[in-house]
Amino acid sequence: MSEDYRVERDSLGEMQVPADAYWGAQTQRAIQNFPISGITFSRRFVRGLGVVKKAAAQANRDLGLIDDDVAEAIIEAADEVIAGEHDDQFPVDIFQTGSGTSSNMNANEVIANRAAELMGSEIGDRVVHPNDHVNYGQSSNDVIPTAMHVASLEAVEKDVIPALDTLREALEEKEEAFDDVVKTGRTHLQDATPVTLGQEFGGYRTQIAKGLARVDGVRDHLG
């Protein structure tokens, strides 16, 4: 961040913000108010915020609530957030206001200022307003849970299910490879009936398959 500062103003007064930062006064207050853990939100969550803001801009444009040129700039800026181009612009600690207002406003300010730039204006000039445009018709109580669901759904789809599928396939291969390896089964710490090592790995494979079915059932609820 630059050592130079600009002055941002909102309903609570003036704040000094790093000159080259896309965030504004509310984000800067949150940085100062919540210096708790030093942990910021993950890539997936920031991406989820971008998805929510893009969808809201598209809906507000289609409903005629925001001018087309402003909406298109917001959508382009949100796409950059979705792509991870501005992750360093989300510095707010994960421990903050209960409804996540600070992170919602962080997203609103970053996207508003970047959208203003895309329209040929300067950061902080309010050509695109964080509340009146980017956050139009929204609340932190809507945005933050939705972003969490989007992030969780993408993690399930892109990380958890593929990983479990790979593990299930590997266990299935071992189940077949060890099908003729006979061993003594154990129960209550004693030798029991003979089983094949393949049967054991079949049990492991079944556990993963059932886990996959449970994870798959979560997708509809998150969606």
Side-chain angles (χ1 to χ4, degrees):
M1 286 287 100
S2 169
E3 293 182 1
D4 297 326
Y5 289 87
R6 70 177 190 274
V7 176
E8 287 265 356
R9 298 171 181 81
D10 62 9
S11 59
L12 295 176
E14 295 184 348
M15 287 294 295
Q16 283 191 330
V17 178
D20 57 353
Y22 282 121
W23 70 75
Q26 292 214 31
T27 303
Q28 192 65 41
R29 280 198 187 85
I31 294 170
Q32 295 177 9
N33 289 339
F34 306 111
I36 298 170
S37 70
I39 303 170
T40 55
F41 279 99
S42 68
R43 167 87 279 270
R44 283 220 183 275
F45 180 78
V46 173
R47 175 181 164 83
L49 279 174
V51 170
V52 172
K53 295 301 173 182
K54 178 180 179 177
Q58 289 171 325
N60 287 325
R61 175 199 61 197
D62 295 347
L63 291 168
L65 299 172
I66 295 177
D67 291 342
D68 285 356
D69 59 340
V70 172
E72 292 303 326
I74 292 171
I75 290 166
E76 187 175 345
D79 275 333
E80 293 180 358
V81 170
I82 290 167
E85 295 179 23
H86 303 299
D87 284 359
D88 62 341
Q89 298 295 313
F90 291 83
V92 179
D93 202 280
I94 60 169
F95 298 104
Q96 52 176 275
T97 55
S99 59
T101 302
S102 297
S103 284
N104 184 31
M105 284 307 303
N106 189 173
N108 292 333
E109 290 176 341
V110 168
I111 291 171
N113 279 322
R114 178 59 184 142
E117 259 191 352
L118 292 168
M119 294 178 72
S121 297
E122 298 293 327
I123 293 176
D125 68 4
R126 292 296 197 267
V127 167
V128 182
H129 197 281
N131 276 321
D132 298 345
H133 295 133
V134 183
N135 200 51
Y136 192 102
Q138 299 154 67
S139 162
S140 299
N141 291 306
D142 307 318
V143 170
I144 298 303
T146 303
M148 291 169 65
H149 288 174
V150 169
S152 298
L153 182 56
E154 285 200 336
V156 165
E157 299 251 349
K158 296 179 180 180
D159 292 339
V160 179
I161 288 177
L164 289 176
D165 247 338
T166 299
L167 179 57
R168 180 189 57 77
E169 289 171 3
L171 291 171
E172 191 170 23
E173 289 176 8
K174 293 302 181 185
E175 179 183 3
E176 294 172 4
F178 298 150
D179 185 51
D180 58 351
V181 179
V182 179
K183 57 167 286 184
T184 303
R186 300 276 291 179
T187 181
H188 294 92
L189 304 181
Q190 299 180 70
D191 290 345
T193 57
V195 295
T196 68
L197 191 56
Q199 285 175 310
E200 273 196 358
F201 274 83
Y204 305 149
R205 190 250 317 146
T206 301
Q207 284 182 307
I208 300 302
K210 289 183 176 181
L212 267 165
R214 288 192 292 271
V215 170
D216 190 57
V218 167
R219 293 194 292 180
D220 287 340
H221 295 291
L222 288 173

